[in-house]
DNA sequence: ATATGTTATTTGTTATAACAAGCAAGCCAG
DNA sequence: CTGGCTTGCTTGTTATAACAAATAACATAT
């Protein structure tokens, strides 16, 4: 038989002991983050379970987890529903992001340097390409990926989880950005300024440009939050 | 029969339908926050369910929720266990708290004013009293209550939830503070400085004193985090 | 026609049992 | 006595069914 020493590299891949609930959880979560589920959508237990081809128990677990991170909420009946975001909530999230993502940008500039900059550049380059093809959804997804990748570079796992949670919550309303494209920018695209600051290891410039980018994007979103401020 | 108009006032009270899983969830959560569960403790599904007098299903739901907010984590087998906190994690949490709680303090000073100050004073006054009675556990709980009440005064619900989540995660290691009492302070107790700043509506002074308090408490905790920094 | 009461259906909640994987104790062979 | 195997038990995972509450549909009376 083939011994372990007889081959180089890994030929075994981890058998993902695929948890049914975990899989369902990830599916719904990325659907939320990719704006494929609109605010107000009801996620019914048995119906969803059938669509996923699983039983109610693991389906319920997936929904519970999403409710816990407030990516969904339960209505009076107990049905999971994609939440609407009030203007107040949107502003509060923006405030938190300015602090936490700002911190990540600053730290990424110190820790990631050139390596991180190229990684981000690669992601960002897809945005103009997607826009040229009128593929707004893809552009928005890449924008999300850009921000999250940046935060990952900071190597602050707890901070990262918080930020990702905020993005999941905002996901459903990102679909509104499709309505009339991404907000404009004057001069160089903010992402490029961020990338350059990181490449140069300039923490404070990275923070400032990232915060400017958050505010730019936020302006485009404000109009679409539900009225009851 | 008695008509509705025949009585004055309300004689009906809302019947809160108590969820089994919700109750179990809250129980474990406050146990964690009050440092009654030590790091490394295993929470076995059936065993816990029996202790709570419920079946496995709602018990599992409670554990899942706590795992989701990282108040617990699952070992390789899938058993829920009270997590240990590494020094890195502790430091990261402190950094986040400096920002978010700092913000809450500043905003509380503006929005809560004198009203909030008296509320906080009432909580804080219990601390020297508890210490005088050698009741460290109570003193630590009051300290937690002080910080969380302060954050509630800022009326930033999303921020508050994040902060509370961090406190839950730190809960189990707070028990180490019992070992040799709360960290000392020179001069006026930091809480009193915070309260005064809030009473005067001085946002920046409130922020500064709160951050000083976080650093003071953090110093007492550093020694006890698990080694693998 | 509207309002009210009744019934049927939908939907979340909990309990229970079958299942699978891991771990430990014990047993047998060397 | 030790190594490896088997057996049984513990523990998480999933499916299913009984249950309870809310909603919707329908019928009836005013």
């Amino acid at each position: 038989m083939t011994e372990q020493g007889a081959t180089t590299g890994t030929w075994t891949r981890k058998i993902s002991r695929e948890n049914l609930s975990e899989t369902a959880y990830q599916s719904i979560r990325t659907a939320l983050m990719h704006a494929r589920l609109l605010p107000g959508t009801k996620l019914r237990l048995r119906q969803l379970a059938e669509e996923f081809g699983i039983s109610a128990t693991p389906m319920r677990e997936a929904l519970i987890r999403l409710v816990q991170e407030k990516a969904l909420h339960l209505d009076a009946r107990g049905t999971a529903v994609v939440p609407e975001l009030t203007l107040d909530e949107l502003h509060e999230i923006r405030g938190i992001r300015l602090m936490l993502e700002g911190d990540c940008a600053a730290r990424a500039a110190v820790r990631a340097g050139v390596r991180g900059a190229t990684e981000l550049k690669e992601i960002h380059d897809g945005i103009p390409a997607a826009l040229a093809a009128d593929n707004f959804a893809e552009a928005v997804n890449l924008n999300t990926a850009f921000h999250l990748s940046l935060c990952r570079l900071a190597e602050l796992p707890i901070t990262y989880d918080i930020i990702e949670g905020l993005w999941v919550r905002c996901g459903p309303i990102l679909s509104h950005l499709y309505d009339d494209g991404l907000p404009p920018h004057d001069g160089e695209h903010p992402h490029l300024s961020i990338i350059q600051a990181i490449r140069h290891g300039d923490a404070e410039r990275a923070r400032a440009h990232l915060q400017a980018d958050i505010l730019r994007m936020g302006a485009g979103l404000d109009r679409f939050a539900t009225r009851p401020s």
Side-chain angles (χ1 to χ4, degrees), chain A:
Chain A
M1 298 307 255
T2 313
E3 296 175 13
Q4 261 192 300
T7 66
T8 71
T10 71
W11 74 99
T12 60
R13 59 183 155 181
K14 275 241 177 67
I15 294 180
S16 61
R17 150 150 204 58
E18 50 169 304
N19 229 274
L20 298 187
S21 64
E22 174 72 18
T23 308
Y25 167 75
Q26 294 294 349
S27 296
I28 301 177
R29 194 170 194 268
T30 70
L32 284 167
M33 196 148 21
H34 289 7
R36 287 204 293 262
L37 284 167
L38 299 185
T41 308
K42 282 186 176 23
L43 273 49
R44 298 210 159 78
L45 187 57
R46 288 170 172 82
Q47 174 185 327
L48 260 188
E50 190 177 13
E51 289 180 27
F52 276 101
I54 63 181
S55 89
T57 308
M59 191 68 248
R60 185 169 156 84
E61 173 173 334
L63 293 177
I64 287 168
R65 290 175 63 186
L66 290 161
V67 168
Q68 186 64 21
E69 54 181 335
K70 296 198 195 306
L72 300 176
H73 87 275
L74 300 180
D75 65 12
R77 185 84 176 270
T79 305
V81 47
V82 180
E84 326 240 352
L85 230 45
T86 68
L87 196 54
D88 278 349
E89 290 170 329
L90 202 56
H91 283 158
E92 189 180 348
I93 288 176
R94 181 168 64 190
I96 300 171
R97 287 183 54 209
L98 285 171
M99 288 189 279
L100 297 189
E101 286 192 38
D103 235 45
C104 286
R107 189 165 148 125
V110 176
R111 296 192 56 119
V114 178
R115 169 182 59 86
T118 25
E119 179 184 329
L120 292 176
K121 184 68 164 57
E122 212 161 295
I123 297 173
H124 171 77
D125 283 344
I127 295 183
L131 287 178
D134 270 356
N135 191 346
F136 287 115
E138 174 70 1
V140 171
N141 287 346
L142 285 172
N143 181 67
T144 302
F146 178 85
H147 280 263
L148 292 182
S149 297
L150 167 55
C151 291
R152 233 183 319 254
L153 290 175
E155 295 178 87
L156 295 171
I158 300 176
T159 308
Y160 177 83
D161 285 343
I162 295 172
I163 294 170
E164 195 182 81
L166 296 177
W167 276 90
V168 175
R169 291 174 73 166
C170 289
I173 114 169
L174 290 184
S175 64
H176 285 305
L177 283 176
Y178 304 167
D179 298 350
D180 40 18
L182 297 175
H185 57 274
D186 29 50
E188 189 181 47
H189 193 294
H191 288 182
L192 296 178
S193 310
I194 297 171
I195 292 172
Q196 202 169 57
I198 290 182
R199 179 176 291 118
H200 293 11
D202 187 337
E204 288 318 312
R205 232 163 62 84
R207 184 199 306 270
H209 283 299
L210 176 64
Q211 290 178 336
D213 187 52
I214 291 177
L215 292 171
R216 173 184 74 103
M217 199 61 123
L221 241 44
D222 271 10
R223 280 177 295 151
F224 299 105
T226 46
R227 304 287 163 272
S229 165

